Amino acid sequence: MTIKRRLFISHILMIAVPVLLSLLVASFAFLLVWQYFWGVDEGAMNKNKEFRAQYATVESLVIKWSSDDATNKKVQSDMDKFYKEHYSDNIALIVYQGKTQVHSVGEIIDTSMRDAVLSEDGEHSYLKDQIFVTSFEANKYKVILVNNNYYNDLYYQDPLWDRDYQKVLFYIIVLMIIGTLVIIILTSRYLTKSVTKSIEKPLETLTEGFYRIRAGQLDYQIRYTEPDEFLLVVDDFNEMAHQLQMMVDAQNKLEANRRELVAGISHDLRTPLTSIKAYLEGLEKGVASTPQMRTKYFQTIKRKIQDLDQIMAQLFLFSKLDTGEFPFELVETTNQKLIDEAVHLMQHEYQDKGVNIYLAAPEETVNLKVDPVQFRTVLTNLFENASKYVQKNEVQVTLTYRIEADQLILSITDNGEGVPTENLDNLFELFYRDDKSRTNPSKGTGLGLAISKKIVEGFNGKIEARNHSLGGLTILITLPVKGEETVGNE
């Protein structure tokens, strides 16, 4: 889950959870209030039922009183006894005959409610403040029951709330507020900790990765699979580490090549210079005492100077190619003009050197955009390599090429012994020669194939080396064909 989504859900939950839990607390408080008042109402009904249920007993005593005057005192005594057993001090019992009070037990606080009951016929009940009054008639008598502290009698069983509705509601509201605040704080703490952890963990992982890179462990890769924003950062970090590793490897290789370049240049320059020095000393000391020997010495010195000049020219050419400053003169030509005609001209030249060049060319014609002069330099370097490294009486070089899609693939194969497989990739490196000791200057400077690679790459092509299945070394050159359609035969 992305961090953006986590934050969104966290904000929603920050609102929803407190609201839901607050509603739960409010529902619980409502149940408490409802239970409380329902209990009060039920208690009031039960109390009222009990209060009214005793009417029957009072009524029977009054009827008995009215039917037998001889037993009035006994009835009054029974009524007083019943009053003491069933009523509290808050309740008054009054019996009227007409407007005349004939019996009373207890005290009446508010006489106005008594007078209101007396002024009306039938059964009546009144509730005012804390006073409850009810009346009924029995024969010629009217009985009035007055409870001077009605609510207190009902709520005596609930001391927790101190029998005060407002205080109960106040406690419940305070409880709801405190509960809501606690819920908000706990929810905020939990969600903040959860989201913070989801951010801190990948940050710690990235920090560890940077420490590893700073310590030089460029091959270190962070393993992170969570599908969030940090995954892209981790991928970029791993790619950065990989590129740094490649840059360091390339720099190390460049440094090794530089050292090898200096060593190669020093060696290849020192060899002809040593020869020149030796022959000059021979001339100076009179070793070459005859005109023929002096002529031979001068010709050798001249040849060595030409070798030096060739080495310097090749170094200059490679330097230009390597820095991308060489001015290729790209022109549009065909495969017949570029390859066929050039090979036909070079066949006679190399035949005198003991190198037989064979060409197997297709009839198909395509357009190519190359520098013809530099392409002939590539062919020359390859033919020279064959003449120097093929240790046979008859050196044969076979050229074939084919058109595949938008590419021309040229194959140049000699009849030598080939190259060890592990050395194939090194053939195009600067100053690489199969003669590791470089004791045979006649086998070249090791610049030819390196220059050839730079030239072919300058044509947006590629060059590679393979050992032929029948023996010998094969150089494959791939050049892009200009356009998608071939042109007619020439």
Side-chain angles (χ1 to χ4, degrees):
M1 184 185 298
T2 63
I3 296 176
K4 182 178 180 181
R5 182 172 297 178
R6 288 177 183 170
L7 289 173
F8 176 75
I9 294 176
S10 175
H11 291 157
I12 295 298
L13 292 178
M14 192 75 74
I15 299 173
V17 172
V19 169
L20 292 176
L21 293 180
S22 297
L23 289 175
L24 184 62
V25 172
S27 300
F28 177 72
F30 174 77
L31 289 175
L32 287 179
V33 174
W34 182 81
Q35 182 67 27
Y36 174 75
F37 287 108
W38 178 84
V40 169
D41 292 341
E42 185 179 24
M45 288 190 300
N46 292 336
K47 191 72 175 177
N48 193 34
K49 288 179 181 179
E50 179 184 353
F51 193 57
R52 295 179 65 85
Q54 295 165 357
Y55 289 0
T57 304
V58 175
E59 185 177 11
S60 64
L61 290 173
V62 172
I63 292 173
K64 186 177 180 182
W65 185 2
S66 63
S67 62
D68 189 358
D69 294 337
T71 60
N72 283 347
K73 292 183 178 180
K74 179 67 169 62
V75 173
Q76 292 178 12
S77 178
D78 292 340
M79 191 178 295
D80 292 341
K81 182 179 179 182
F82 178 80
Y83 172 86
K84 292 179 181 179
E85 291 176 355
H86 294 88
Y87 296 118
S88 65
D89 294 338
N90 293 327
I91 297 177
L93 174 61
I94 311 165
V95 180
Y96 283 87
Q97 185 177 6
K99 299 295 184 179
T100 304
Q101 177 180 315
V102 296
H103 186 74
S104 68
V105 182
E107 181 181 1
I108 300 175
I109 296 177
D110 190 346
T111 58
S112 61
M113 294 183 67
R114 179 201 61 187
D115 295 340
V117 172
L118 284 175
S119 64
E120 298 180 0
D121 297 331
E123 294 186 5
H124 298 280
S125 295
Y126 296 97
L127 178 63
K128 177 183 178 182
D129 298 331
Q130 297 286 326
I131 300 174
F132 175 73
V133 178
T134 185
S135 66
F136 61 90
E137 295 180 351
N139 291 343
K140 58 183 178 179
Y141 297 99
K142 191 177 187 72
V143 180
I144 300 174
L145 289 172
V146 181
N147 190 332
N148 296 305
N149 201 1
Y150 184 65
Y151 285 128
N152 286 343
D153 278 350
L154 291 178
Y155 304 151
Y156 70 91
Q157 73 275 15
D158 195 4
L160 176 64
W161 303 108
D162 196 23
R163 306 183 188 122
D164 189 339
Y165 291 165
Q166 295 181 352
K167 187 178 292 185
V168 171
L169 293 175
F170 174 76
Y171 289 155
I172 291 174
I173 293 172
V174 170
L175 178 63
M176 288 179 60
I177 294 174
I178 294 175
T180 301
L181 291 176
V182 171
I183 290 169
I184 293 175
I185 292 172
L186 293 178
T187 303
S188 175
R189 180 178 176 82
Y190 173 78
L191 294 176
T192 301
K193 185 176 180 181
S194 177
V195 174
T196 302
K197 185 178 180 180
S198 67
I199 297 176
E200 287 180 345
K201 187 176 179 180
L203 284 177
E204 292 173 357
T205 302
L206 284 171
T207 302
E208 175 67 17
F210 283 114
Y211 286 155
R212 295 288 189 93
I213 296 297
R214 188 175 66 180
Q217 301 180 25
L218 299 181
D219 58 345
Y220 180 76
Q221 295 285 291
I222 297 177
R223 291 179 176 84
Y224 188 81
T225 57
E226 292 293 330
D228 55 23
E229 288 84 353
F230 283 103
L231 183 59
L232 296 176
V233 179
V234 169
D235 290 341
D236 290 341
F237 174 90
N238 290 336
E239 180 64 23
M240 177 198 69
H242 178 66
Q243 291 184 2
L244 283 175
Q245 181 68 53
M246 293 177 61
M247 290 173 61
V248 171
D249 291 343
Q251 183 65 31
N252 291 337
K253 185 176 181 180
L254 183 63
E255 183 65 20
N257 289 340
R258 187 189 65 80
R259 291 194 295 269
E260 186 176 355
L261 173 64
V262 173
I265 292 174
S266 300
H267 185 280
D268 288 339
L269 291 178
R270 185 169 61 249
T271 301
L273 285 174
T274 302
S275 298
I276 292 171
K277 181 179 179 182
Y279 281 105
L280 286 175
E281 288 179 353
L283 290 171
E284 183 181 13
K285 294 179 180 180
V287 174
S289 57
T290 64
Q292 292 82 2
M293 289 186 65
R294 285 195 292 271
T295 300
K296 182 179 179 180
Y297 273 37
F298 279 121
Q299 288 177 348
T300 303
I301 292 172
K302 183 179 179 180
R303 188 170 62 252
K304 295 300 179 181
I305 291 175
Q306 289 175 347
D307 290 342
L308 284 174
D309 185 63
Q310 183 182 3
I311 292 173
M312 297 305 297
Q314 286 186 320
L315 281 173
F316 180 77
L317 175 60
F318 180 83
S319 175
K320 288 288 187 179
L321 291 169
D322 191 47
T323 57
E325 297 178 358
F326 186 83
F328 284 111
E329 295 183 7
L330 300 177
V331 297
E332 187 174 335
T333 183
T334 63
N335 52 307
Q336 282 89 357
K337 291 182 180 180
L338 180 69
I339 301 174
D340 300 4
E341 293 181 5
V343 170
H344 288 318
L345 291 174
M346 299 173 77
Q347 280 176 330
H348 301 290
E349 177 185 351
Y350 278 93
Q351 190 172 11
D352 296 337
K353 298 180 181 181
V355 178
N356 295 318
I357 301 174
Y358 302 96
L359 174 64
E363 296 182 357
E364 187 177 8
T365 302
V366 293
N367 287 338
L368 302 168
K369 193 168 186 179
V370 297
D371 185 332
V373 174
Q374 297 306 322
F375 184 78
R376 283 193 290 271
T377 300
V378 173
L379 294 179
T380 300
N381 290 336
L382 296 178
F383 294 155
E384 289 292 331
N385 266 18
S387 66
K388 293 174 182 177
Y389 286 98
V390 175
Q391 303 299 317
K392 290 186 178 180
N393 294 331
E394 183 180 355
V395 179
Q396 296 181 359
V397 179
T398 302
L399 276 77
T400 61
Y401 64 88
R402 64 187 186 275
I403 312 299
E404 290 187 0
D406 57 350
Q407 293 181 332
L408 183 146
I409 302 175
L410 173 64
S411 173
I412 304 172
T413 305
D414 61 39
N415 63 334
E417 300 297 327
V419 175
T421 304
E422 62 273 14
N423 293 337
L424 287 173
D425 293 337
N426 299 325
L427 288 178
F428 301 99
E429 290 183 4
L430 191 63
F431 285 108
Y432 177 81
R433 287 198 318 210
D434 194 40
D435 175 22
K436 292 297 183 184
S437 62
R438 305 177 71 87
T439 57
N440 190 356
S442 64
K443 288 192 175 182
T445 61
L447 287 168
L449 290 180
I451 290 173
S452 298
K453 181 180 179 181
K454 293 293 183 181
I455 292 174
V456 172
E457 290 177 348
F459 301 157
N460 294 322
K462 64 179 181 178
I463 185 170
E464 55 184 323
R466 297 178 184 175
N467 283 319
H468 197 273
S469 59
L470 299 179
L473 179 67
T474 297
I475 303 296
L476 290 176
I477 298 176
T478 302
L479 296 175
V481 172
K482 187 177 184 299
E484 298 181 355
E485 298 181 356
T486 61
V487 297
N489 295 341
E490 294 182 353

